[in-house]
Amino acid sequence: MFRSRSKEEKAPTGKVTADLSKQPRDPQAPKGRPTPKRSEAQSQRRRASSGAPLDRKEAAKRQREARRTDLARQREALASGDERYLPVRDKGPVRRFVRDYVDSRFCVAEFFLPLAVIILILSVIQIRNIQNISLLLWLFVIVLIVIDSIGLSIRLRKQLKERFPDTPKRGAVAYGLMRTLQMRRLRLPKPQVKRGERP
């Protein structure tokens, strides 16, 4: 009754277990791991189907690449004037009109940097009369820029009211005045109209 079984008797049981493992598993039997929550399972399925990255490093890498491509598109758009990829501050028909309006005119403010360099050189020269002339020239340039900017902002406001009566125009005049301070060659987005050509 309590005797040990021989090797021959033990062998068939191994075969039986191997045969049992090949049989389909009973749905009621435990599977050896916890069942994931529905939200977790759905998020895993979504991630797998969308090709979203599973780890942070991969996500950060993809984000950097997307940012790089967006910046490259913006640079191209600033050079070509393509509205689709311009930065938000430059988008829209109002901003485009302001750019064209400013670019079609000569503005005193765009010559501010070269004039400032000349005046600075004159002020360094140790001759009293030349230093006085440079000071007067500096005041004259500033007064001219202020008068020109006031005139431009009045005309621009009037044009915007006529052309875009129902469109929001907040910050459009300030945008135009900031553009006048840049030299025409260095303006971004690049000018799309020639001087004297009315938009």
Side-chain angles (χ1 to χ4, degrees):
M1 184 174 165
F2 296 107
R3 67 180 181 192
S4 63
R5 294 179 182 176
S6 63
K7 289 180 183 177
E8 290 84 12
E9 289 175 345
K10 285 180 184 175
T13 57
K15 288 176 186 174
V16 171
T17 53
D19 292 340
L20 286 172
S21 65
K22 289 177 185 174
Q23 291 176 356
R25 190 175 67 81
D26 181 22
Q28 299 299 323
K31 60 180 175 289
R33 61 183 169 82
T35 305
K37 292 180 182 176
R38 177 179 280 180
S39 60
E40 289 173 10
Q42 284 176 344
S43 66
Q44 283 177 353
R45 247 183 275 127
R46 254 188 249 117
R47 250 190 249 133
S49 63
S50 67
L54 297 173
D55 61 339
R56 285 184 182 178
K57 282 186 179 178
E58 184 67 26
K61 187 180 174 184
R62 285 190 187 185
Q63 207 170 17
R64 277 196 305 273
E65 286 173 7
R67 199 179 304 125
R68 203 175 293 129
T69 53
D70 285 347
L71 287 171
R73 276 184 192 161
Q74 277 188 7
R75 274 196 297 273
E76 287 173 20
L78 287 169
S80 64
D82 188 358
E83 283 278 334
R84 291 173 299 169
Y85 304 116
L86 283 175
V88 177
R89 70 182 177 124
D90 298 312
K91 274 186 179 177
V94 173
R95 296 296 168 108
R96 185 178 180 91
F97 174 76
V98 170
R99 286 197 302 273
D100 292 346
Y101 189 84
V102 169
D103 295 338
S104 66
R105 285 164 168 71
F106 276 102
C107 299
V108 180
E110 70 183 277
F111 302 110
F112 174 74
L113 281 175
L115 287 169
V117 170
I118 292 165
I119 292 165
L120 191 66
I121 291 165
L122 289 173
S123 66
V124 171
I125 296 168
Q126 296 295 320
I127 299 169
R128 186 83 177 165
N129 289 338
I130 292 174
Q131 286 182 340
N132 289 338
I133 288 166
S134 69
L135 185 63
L136 287 169
L137 195 60
W138 187 250
L139 288 169
F140 180 67
V141 167
I142 289 171
V143 168
L144 269 178
I145 288 170
V146 168
I147 291 167
D148 188 44
S149 299
I150 290 168
L152 179 75
S153 61
I154 290 166
R155 291 191 303 273
L156 187 54
R157 229 179 235 114
K158 188 181 174 184
Q159 287 286 327
L160 286 170
K161 277 181 185 175
E162 286 175 12
R163 295 199 181 212
F164 307 98
D166 301 325
T167 314
K169 297 172 278 293
R170 189 178 174 187
V173 175
Y175 175 75
L177 290 174
M178 287 302 293
R179 194 167 173 83
T180 61
L181 288 169
Q182 300 165 337
M183 293 173 73
R184 185 182 165 87
R185 197 177 293 174
L186 304 176
R187 288 174 187 168
L188 289 173
K190 295 279 184 192
Q192 302 293 313
V193 294
K194 295 175 183 176
R195 289 199 197 270
E197 185 183 330
R198 293 289 176 258

